[in-house]
Amino acid sequence: MKIDLKILLPVLPEAIGRKELEVEFAGETVNDLIDHLVAQHGRKARQALYDERGQLDPVVQVLLNGEEWVTHDRLDRTLQDGDHVVLMLMLAGG
């Protein structure tokens, strides 16, 4: 499966080498995509995406196809070939 990925996180583009890329991987879900990124790009990717428990860091948000926020309890959300995924930081203001 091929996914278009855009990264709006600090450190991760440095680990991967760019901010936008097409990712080809054998998985099916958002979680599979994240695990693939960590497996392919090592320690810096792990530090950018996971918390100390090895779970997706709560500040990392996932936007699917520009319209659906994939919450952390739905990382098993199935992806389709050609989907667009954005990984970004959760920002709060007030």
Side-chain angles (χ1 to χ4, degrees):
M1 166 179 335
K2 290 183 183 178
I3 300 296
D4 291 320
L5 178 66
K6 185 172 186 177
I7 302 166
L8 302 174
L9 296 169
V11 181
L12 189 57
E14 185 179 304
I16 292 176
R18 54 188 180 246
K19 292 182 180 183
E20 294 186 33
L21 63 148
E22 185 176 81
V23 178
E24 189 167 349
F25 71 109
E28 297 179 358
T29 67
V30 172
N31 202 48
D32 293 340
L33 173 63
I34 293 167
D35 288 345
H36 172 80
L37 292 172
V38 169
Q40 290 292 307
H41 300 286
R43 184 178 53 82
K44 283 188 179 183
R46 177 177 300 282
Q47 290 172 336
L49 291 168
Y50 290 152
D51 64 15
E52 61 280 348
R53 298 172 302 159
Q55 302 294 317
L56 184 63
D57 196 305
V59 300
V60 175
Q61 298 299 302
V62 180
L63 180 62
L64 178 59
N65 295 322
E67 58 187 41
E68 179 185 345
W69 292 101
V70 180
T71 57
H72 286 227
D73 61 340
R74 293 187 53 241
L75 294 175
D76 60 348
R77 167 72 162 79
T78 301
L79 296 170
Q80 302 296 318
D81 193 49
D83 276 347
H84 299 275
V85 174
V86 179
L87 298 176
M88 64 181 72
L89 284 179
M90 175 175 54
L91 299 176

